[in-house]
Amino acid sequence: MAVANKKAVASVATTESEESTAGPVVPRQTAGISISNMLYSFGKKLGTVAAVYLLGYFDLSFAWLLAPVLLSVVRDEWKKDHEARRSVAKAAATRSEREVILARVGDLPSWVYFPDVERVEWINRILRQLWPNVNHYARTLLKNSIEPGVRDSLAQYKLQGFRFEKMVLGNIPMRIGGVKVYDLDLHRKEIMLDMDLFYAGDCDISFSLGGLKGGIKDFQIHGMVRVVMKPLISDMPLVGGLQIFFLNNPTVDFNLVGVADMLDMPGISDLLRRTIVEVIAGIMVLPNKLPIQLSDSVQAEQLRMPELEGVLRIHVVEARNLMKKDISMLGKGKSDPYAIITVGAEEFRTKTIDNTVNPKWDFWCEAAIEEKRAEPVRFRLYDKDKNQDDFLGRATVEVSTIAAKGEADLWLNLDGVKHGTVHVRFTWLTLTADTSALLAALKETQHLRMTSLSTAVLMVYIDSVKDLPGSQSSSKINPYIQLSLGHKQQQTPWKESTRCPVFEQGFTFLVGNPESDTLDIRVINQKSGSELGQLIYNLTGLLEKDDLHVVNQPFPLARAGADAKLIMSMTLRILVPATPPAEDEANGEGEGEGADDAASSGTGGDHSRAGSLRRPPDSPAKSASSTLLKQGSGDSLGTSTAVNNSRTPVDDPMVIATAQPVESVPPGAGSDTSGLHQRSPSVTSSAGEAGLGRIQLTLRYSIQTQKLIIIVHRVANLPLKDKDHIPDPYVKLYLLPDRSKDSKRKTETLKDNLNPVYDERFEYLMSQAELNSSQLEVSVVTKKSWLSSQSPVLGQVILNLGDLGLPKACTIWFDLLPEVPRDS
């Protein structure tokens, strides 16, 4: 009897489990014919017959029939592949966490207990109970937040009128995978946990687009979600609010049905999928968060105001030994590589370098970081092609690792391909309200010669707008706010039919120079596109405020009437380089220990290999960036550099590569050898040891920017061999031993001149390892007729860059020598 009872209980449990996962019982259709299905099938067959008939009737080419058939085959195969993936994902979504883990680790003894799995299953049971309520909230979120964003994005592609008609998420709830609760380095007033969210339910969503009706089935979304409970309060419900956001862009997939099924093919379907991901990223992918207020005692600003931990400055220097993806007539050629850098919802892209597997980008970008423990930097490299770009590899670095060191100079091995490395450099910038740090920040950007870099960060919270123009009886307006600072523009969602919209949204802007930049805020009517009001705020006003902060202050709007006010809060912070590690830590920065930490901590789908960070061959053991912040910020190198005497350097704080002068000072430059002397306007009387003239150069190597900088000042006393043919000289530079076209630099040509003055600056992006193994070929060349049999090279000097290590920049005269044969 006991055994029978156990079997009965097991049977009941099995039945309940099957009912819970299979969804509601659908009555079987025992009789009747679907008129719509019959008409749809008849229309498809009639269209096929009509197409064949018209091809013969109009005597059209067979290609008109072949092209649709091929397109149909490609589309069917593409749909089969995606349907198979969705089926696998849906099967995984309906299983319990225990079943998923057991499927991964294989057969285990029955006595094995998974306490963490039991907790996750407990959460999933709660979700199943709450799913009808979640369903209702999700419909509101889709209608009020997702729909406007998708509609605006599709409008850029001339696809107008997107609107959700029906939104039912079905009976299969989302599933929560592994859950991680943080208990270290947290604020006392918050609780933070990460969870793997996966939804692959039986949703039924219909929409209209440009008069066409369509639907979405088998919608799936997968990503890592962070939930922050803050602030903790003493009254019920003990938690004042929630912040929910994806750590990175989630994976989204779906199947189009109805009339929109014609659009379900590569390209068009990808456009809609990419649009949905972008809209989700704009709502709840870092740095964007979905706030939920749980207590009236908590102000909305506490949940919605951006809270930055710092700014990460990224320098993508170069890549080496990439895969060859372009195919030429003689076999595989090279690639046209570019890199995409992703930090949370932000994405940056380098320029494309044509026809090379060793591109040098010298690309700089900056990302505001709200959660340094949750935002890895992801690098993806591609080969640019006309149809579809080829994948060249990926790499991941944890922001928390960079923030702990302050800076890093890394070579990353690319995953997903056979070979390839990318050279990246990072600087972690912290925030301060000390205005005295602004001058140093401005000098730093000027020293790097990068006007696009930032010196401060501005956080803005738009609360509401009061009393916009227009009477109550006039046509209703749909206002939204557009904010612009520098080249970046952001906006709020529009609010329907109101003169007093409440937005409660936060924004972050990187500021180039707060002493001169302005924040431009415009209130715009979504219906007509007309401007309802404007505020232009000079950031110098914030520099004068206590703690560089204003809270819920009303600002009058221009051209909006006397009563119109914009309620907002603003906080300005100056960017300061993080304190570098201790000297003993810095000395080991380039070694494998710290590098492996950064490489092996990848999350999500990009799992970095241990030890994927390395120095290029023959590079110094100590990382070049370990001295980055110990250098000064001045830069005295210019086109009016002084003549140097006895290797006395120009005062420059950066590490310099310079050459041993052939002669200390040209005649007439003065006898004082204690310092610098202005260059004499008269040319030197010496023609050099070989009698071919002399050339004046300035050479400098900047570790911080990884650049060799050369200034060609002038050439003196070129020989005149024929009075009737005065040379037309120019200076040509090459890097040896490669002597490639990419390394060629040349000055302008000055006609009929034996003492030309150029003062032209040239740069080479190169690592220290390359500098040590390279030579610089400097040639003075004259323009010549193609009938001339003489060499156009008037003189030449070859400098061993690895032997020119001096701590300061120098301007030196070099004797021109006869041209060195190419094969020597």
Side-chain angles (χ1 to χ4, degrees):
M1 179 66 69
V3 174
N5 289 337
K6 289 182 178 180
K7 290 183 178 179
V9 172
S11 176
V12 171
T14 303
T15 304
E16 290 178 352
S17 176
E18 291 176 352
E19 289 179 356
S20 65
T21 58
V25 178
V26 180
R28 296 180 180 178
Q29 184 176 355
T30 58
I33 299 175
S34 174
I35 302 297
S36 60
N37 290 341
M38 184 178 66
L39 291 176
Y40 179 72
S41 178
F42 174 76
K44 287 180 63 178
K45 294 181 178 180
L46 180 63
T48 303
V49 174
V52 176
Y53 172 77
L54 291 174
L55 285 173
Y57 182 81
F58 290 104
D59 195 21
L60 297 175
S61 170
F62 179 73
W64 289 96
L65 180 62
L66 183 61
V69 171
L70 290 176
L71 182 62
S72 176
V73 171
V74 172
R75 176 178 176 272
D76 290 343
E77 291 299 321
W78 180 81
K79 288 191 66 176
K80 287 179 182 179
D81 179 63
H82 278 66
E83 287 174 1
R85 294 181 185 179
R86 285 192 289 265
S87 298
V88 173
K90 191 170 183 179
T94 56
R95 291 188 175 187
S96 67
E97 185 70 8
R98 179 187 293 271
E99 292 174 328
V100 172
I101 292 178
L102 288 174
R104 292 179 179 176
V105 301
D107 296 332
L108 292 176
S110 59
W111 48 264
V112 173
Y113 179 58
F114 298 95
D116 293 333
V117 173
E118 295 299 329
R119 298 188 190 103
V120 173
E121 282 302 307
W122 177 75
I123 296 175
N124 284 323
R125 292 190 191 104
I126 296 177
L127 272 177
R128 283 195 290 270
Q129 191 70 20
L130 292 174
W131 188 242
N133 305 80
V134 175
N135 206 331
H136 178 75
Y137 178 77
R139 284 199 297 269
T140 304
L141 181 65
L142 284 172
K143 191 67 178 177
N144 297 339
S145 299
I146 304 294
E147 180 183 296
V150 174
R151 180 172 57 246
D152 295 341
S153 297
L154 291 178
Q156 300 176 6
Y157 300 96
K158 309 301 180 183
L159 299 174
Q160 306 289 340
F162 179 86
R163 185 175 71 254
F164 285 118
E165 302 286 350
K166 180 182 178 182
M167 295 163 288
V168 179
L169 295 186
N171 296 281
I172 301 177
M174 70 177 66
R175 183 173 66 82
I176 299 299
V179 176
K180 177 180 179 181
V181 180
Y182 291 87
D183 56 357
L184 297 176
D185 300 328
L186 279 182
H187 193 276
R188 293 177 59 187
K189 293 291 186 179
E190 68 180 22
I191 300 172
M192 184 167 65
L193 59 144
D194 294 344
M195 57 185 69
D196 191 17
L197 182 144
F198 192 54
Y199 172 74
D202 52 345
C203 71
D204 184 8
I205 301 174
S206 60
F207 62 88
S208 61
L209 177 62
L212 298 177
K213 300 288 185 178
I216 294 177
K217 294 283 189 180
D218 299 326
F219 183 83
Q220 298 176 5
I221 184 169
H222 178 215
M224 185 65 68
V225 173
R226 172 163 293 182
V227 179
V228 180
M229 306 176 186
K230 60 179 291 189
L232 303 182
I233 57 179
S234 57
D235 300 326
M236 294 300 292
L238 302 181
V239 176
L242 302 176
Q243 291 178 334
I244 304 174
F245 49 90
F246 286 99
L247 300 182
N248 293 285
N249 286 333
T251 302
V252 173
D253 198 6
F254 53 82
N255 182 30
L256 294 176
V257 297
V259 178
D261 186 45
M262 297 183 298
L263 305 178
D264 199 0
M265 61 181 64
I268 299 178
S269 179
D270 292 340
L271 171 63
L272 182 58
R273 186 176 291 102
R274 185 170 61 252
T275 300
I276 292 176
V277 171
E278 289 175 354
V279 172
I280 294 175
I283 297 174
M284 52 184 306
V285 175
L286 272 177
N288 305 303
K289 302 178 181 180
L290 179 65
I292 300 176
Q293 189 172 351
L294 301 179
S295 174
D296 294 335
S297 62
V298 176
Q299 299 294 325
E301 183 180 353
Q302 290 181 260
L303 298 174
R304 300 174 186 266
M305 184 75 171
E307 298 175 336
L308 299 186
E309 293 188 358
V311 172
L312 184 65
R313 182 172 293 166
I314 306 169
H315 183 196
V316 184
V317 184
E318 60 181 322
R320 287 185 186 173
N321 196 27
L322 299 179
M323 298 287 292
K324 297 178 181 180
K325 293 293 186 177
D326 294 341
I327 300 177
S328 63
M329 296 182 63
L330 300 178
K332 284 195 173 183
K334 296 187 178 181
S335 293
D336 305 321
Y338 66 90
I340 293 178
I341 305 98
T342 305
V343 185
E346 293 190 87
E347 189 172 277
F348 310 92
R349 174 172 171 168
T350 69
K351 62 182 178 180
T352 301
I353 307 296
D354 294 333
N355 197 33
T356 181
V357 293
N358 299 299
K360 296 187 177 182
W361 289 296
D362 190 24
F363 176 79
W364 294 76
C365 60
E366 294 173 318
I369 305 297
E370 290 203 25
E371 300 281 348
K372 62 186 178 185
R373 289 180 296 183
E375 297 185 73
V377 185
R378 304 182 189 275
F379 300 90
R380 290 172 292 145
L381 275 63
Y382 293 94
D383 168 41
K384 182 66 176 176
D385 283 330
K386 292 182 179 179
N387 298 323
Q388 185 175 1
D389 296 348
D390 296 319
F391 179 67
L392 293 177
R394 65 176 179 268
T396 304
V397 177
E398 292 295 328
V399 174
S400 58
T401 304
I402 306 301
K405 295 187 174 189
E407 56 188 11
D409 188 340
L410 308 173
W411 282 89
L412 307 176
N413 283 341
L414 295 175
D415 293 334
V417 291
K418 293 181 179 179
H419 53 78
T421 57
V422 61
H423 183 194
V424 291
R425 307 177 74 246
F426 302 93
T427 302
W428 176 249
L429 305 171
T430 58
L431 311 181
T432 180
D434 184 5
T435 55
S436 62
L438 179 59
L439 180 60
L442 290 171
K443 286 184 177 180
E444 176 73 9
T445 58
Q446 294 170 0
H447 176 65
L448 293 174
R449 301 179 184 271
M450 297 295 298
T451 57
S452 60
L453 297 183
S454 307
T455 62
V457 62
L458 176 67
M459 290 157 280
V460 183
Y461 172 71
I462 302 294
D463 181 79
S464 59
V465 179
K466 305 294 185 183
D467 299 322
L468 286 172
S471 62
Q472 296 291 345
S473 59
S474 63
S475 60
K476 297 179 179 179
I477 58 174
N478 297 341
Y480 69 91
I481 292 182
Q482 184 182 87
L483 302 91
S484 303
L485 197 157
H487 299 292
K488 187 174 183 179
Q489 186 179 94
Q490 302 183 69
Q491 67 181 47
T492 68
W494 52 268
K495 302 297 180 180
E496 188 171 1
S497 304
T498 177
R499 295 174 54 246
C500 298
V502 177
F503 297 102
E504 294 182 337
Q505 186 169 349
F507 301 91
T508 301
F509 292 93
L510 294 175
V511 182
N513 186 352
E515 294 181 337
S516 59
D517 287 351
T518 59
L519 176 64
D520 187 353
I521 302 177
R522 301 170 188 264
V523 185
I524 302 174
N525 183 8
Q526 181 267 339
K527 287 186 175 180
S528 62
S530 59
E531 188 176 303
L532 303 175
Q534 181 182 20
L535 169 66
I536 298 180
Y537 185 85
N538 293 315
L539 298 187
T540 51
L542 267 181
L543 293 173
E544 301 171 357
K545 302 292 184 181
D546 293 338
D547 198 33
L548 312 184
H549 183 58
V550 294
V551 183
N552 284 335
Q553 183 171 332
F555 293 89
L557 292 172
R559 302 188 300 277
D563 297 330
K565 295 289 188 297
L566 169 66
I567 312 299
M568 70 173 179
S569 302
M570 291 184 292
T571 300
L572 183 69
R573 290 293 180 261
I574 310 302
L575 299 181
V576 180
T579 304
E583 186 66 25
D584 55 345
E585 297 177 3
N587 290 338
E589 183 178 349
E591 302 300 330
E593 180 180 357
D596 289 357
D597 292 342
S600 61
S601 55
T603 59
D606 295 335
H607 299 287
S608 299
R609 295 189 295 268
S612 66
L613 310 184
R614 63 175 180 82
R615 295 186 305 272
D618 303 326
S619 63
K622 181 177 177 179
S623 172
S625 64
S626 63
T627 58
L628 178 61
L629 297 178
K630 299 175 186 177
Q631 311 288 349
S633 59
D635 188 354
S636 60
L637 181 60
T639 57
S640 60
T641 312
V643 173
N644 187 12
N645 177 26
S646 189
R647 295 172 65 91
T648 302
V650 175
D651 186 16
D652 192 306
M654 301 304 296
V655 176
I656 302 304
T658 183
Q660 175 70 38
V662 177
E663 181 178 306
S664 296
V665 181
S671 58
D672 185 6
T673 61
S674 62
L676 303 176
H677 304 270
Q678 294 298 320
R679 189 170 66 234
S680 172
S682 62
V683 296
T684 174
S685 59
S686 173
E689 183 179 346
L692 298 178
R694 314 184 74 202
I695 186 169
Q696 188 187 40
L697 303 174
T698 294
L699 293 95
R700 166 180 178 259
Y701 181 72
S702 169
I703 290 179
Q704 191 166 5
T705 59
Q706 298 275 294
K707 288 180 180 179
L708 172 65
I709 301 172
I710 304 161
I711 296 180
V712 180
H713 293 293
R714 63 173 180 167
V715 178
N717 292 331
L718 291 174
L720 181 61
K721 298 180 181 180
D722 188 350
K723 295 183 180 180
D724 296 330
H725 295 87
I726 301 176
D728 302 335
Y730 65 92
V731 179
K732 182 169 60 176
L733 309 176
Y734 274 107
L735 283 180
L736 304 179
D738 294 338
R739 210 175 189 277
S740 64
K741 291 183 179 179
D742 293 338
S743 71
K744 181 180 179 180
R745 307 286 190 273
K746 58 181 294 186
T747 67
E748 65 175 335
T749 301
L750 299 180
K751 292 187 176 182
D752 299 334
N753 201 325
L754 298 177
N755 298 284
V757 177
Y758 301 102
D759 283 335
E760 294 190 34
R761 173 188 174 114
F762 303 96
E763 295 180 353
Y764 289 101
L765 183 65
M766 60 194 314
S767 66
Q768 281 187 296
E770 289 177 311
L771 183 76
N772 293 333
S773 60
S774 298
Q775 294 178 313
L776 179 66
E777 178 188 276
V778 183
S779 304
V780 180
V781 188
T782 180
K783 287 282 187 179
K784 66 162 188 172
S785 170
W786 65 276
L787 295 175
S788 175
S789 59
Q790 295 182 351
S791 171
V793 178
L794 302 177
Q796 189 178 82
V797 59
I798 297 179
L799 309 176
N800 292 317
L801 298 178
D803 300 334
L804 307 182
L806 287 179
K808 302 293 181 179
C810 293
T811 302
I812 307 171
W813 286 89
F814 298 94
D815 287 351
L816 293 175
L817 302 175
E819 179 184 10
V820 178
R822 295 284 179 86
D823 57 350
S824 62

